[in-house]
């Protein structure tokens, strides 16, 4: 299974990688393989790349297939390798945000992303591989725009910022912060 997943990833056949990962999920999760973490990273990335490919095929149009692909990747990551969840979650949020009818769902994903960061146990919050500072900034800005600027009943800015003190502090103290 490991070799098949690696093969499909290198061939950029992400839909087959997803199929194999779901079919053999129990086996993968129980594996004691020395490179299990690498395989889990390939799978998590493969789910994300598969969803992004489906999104490109349906560019500019909301697609249930794309939505399901992103959901599936987020769910898989939470079950098997939470380290890749922020990466999958933020891409899902960005995709949803492109559709006016799905802004609320996008905000939920942005909030999931920020909650994941806020509740993480990592010493360094932003690592540029799984958790990028610009994604956190974009998530906060998107929430502010939708809940304050474009809202008929604006939310208090401090109530938004106070939900994520660790994230806000990390952004404020980071040299790469914008």
């Amino acid at each position: 299974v490991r070799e098949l997943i690696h093969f499909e990833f290198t061939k950029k056949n992400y839909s087959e990688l997803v199929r194999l990962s779901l079919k053999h999920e129990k086996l993968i999760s129980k594996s004691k393989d020395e490179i299990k973490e690498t395989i889990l990273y390939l799978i998590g990335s493969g789910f994300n790349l598969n969803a992004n490919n489906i999104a490109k095929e349906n560019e500019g149009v909301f697609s249930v297939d794309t939505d399901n692909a992103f959901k599936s990747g987020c769910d898989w990551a939470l079950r098997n390798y939470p380290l890749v969840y922020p990466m999958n979650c933020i891409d899902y949020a960005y995709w949803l945000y492109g559709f006016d009818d799905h802004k609320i769902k996008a905000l939920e994903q942005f909030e999931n992303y920020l909650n994941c960061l806020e509740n993480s146990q990592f010493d360094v919050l932003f690592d540029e591989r799984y958790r990028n500072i610009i994604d956190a900034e974009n998530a906060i800005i998107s929430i502010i725009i939708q809940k304050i600027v474009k809202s008929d009943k604006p939310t208090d800015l401090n109530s938004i910022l106070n939900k994520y003190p660790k994230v806000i502090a990390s952004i404020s103290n980071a040299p790469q912060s914008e």
Side-chain angles (χ1 to χ4, degrees):
V1 174
R2 171 185 77 178
E3 296 302 323
L4 287 171
I5 287 169
H6 185 263
F7 176 78
E8 298 302 344
F9 188 87
T10 56
K11 292 292 184 187
K12 298 182 180 180
N13 190 1
Y14 305 119
S15 60
E16 182 61 16
L17 181 145
V18 166
R19 189 191 70 72
L20 285 168
S21 301
L22 292 172
K23 180 179 178 182
H24 301 289
E25 185 171 3
K26 288 181 183 177
L27 177 66
I28 293 165
S29 67
K30 291 179 182 178
S31 170
K32 302 279 190 234
D33 195 320
E34 67 275 359
I35 62 166
K36 178 179 179 179
E37 193 162 330
T38 301
I39 296 302
L40 292 174
Y41 173 75
L42 291 180
I43 294 170
S45 297
F47 269 96
N48 204 30
L49 292 164
N50 182 57
N52 281 306
N53 285 346
I54 295 170
K56 285 178 190 167
E57 291 171 8
N58 300 299
E59 195 162 339
V61 177
F62 182 85
S63 156
V64 173
D65 289 341
T66 308
D67 191 53
N68 288 338
F70 275 114
K71 280 182 196 172
S72 179
C74 289
D75 291 345
W76 184 92
L78 284 173
R79 282 191 313 269
N80 297 292
Y81 195 53
L83 196 57
V84 297
Y85 175 74
M87 176 179 69
N88 292 18
C89 181
I90 197 69
D91 277 5
Y92 186 26
Y94 285 144
W95 177 73
L96 286 168
Y97 201 75
F99 304 100
D100 289 338
D101 294 347
H102 298 280
K103 293 276 195 246
I104 295 199
K105 200 171 167 184
L107 292 182
E108 290 172 8
Q109 291 305 312
F110 283 128
E111 289 172 344
N112 287 343
Y113 177 75
L114 292 171
N115 286 330
C116 181
L117 296 178
E118 188 66 32
N119 297 320
S120 75
Q121 303 301 317
F122 299 108
D123 294 334
V124 177
L125 203 53
F126 304 110
D127 67 358
E128 306 307 318
R129 183 175 183 185
Y130 302 108
R131 301 170 311 278
N132 199 323
I133 191 168
I134 192 129
D135 292 332
E137 292 170 334
N138 288 338
I140 290 169
I141 290 167
S142 299
I143 291 168
I144 289 170
I145 288 171
Q146 294 303 315
K147 289 192 173 187
I148 297 175
V149 177
K150 292 187 175 183
S151 177
D152 294 337
K153 298 177 185 175
T155 305
D156 178 53
L157 177 62
N158 286 329
S159 71
I160 294 171
L161 299 179
N162 289 339
K163 284 172 98 173
Y164 313 107
K166 183 176 167 183
V167 174
I168 299 298
S170 294
I171 290 172
S172 298
N173 296 329
Q176 71 270 36
S177 171
E178 293 182 21

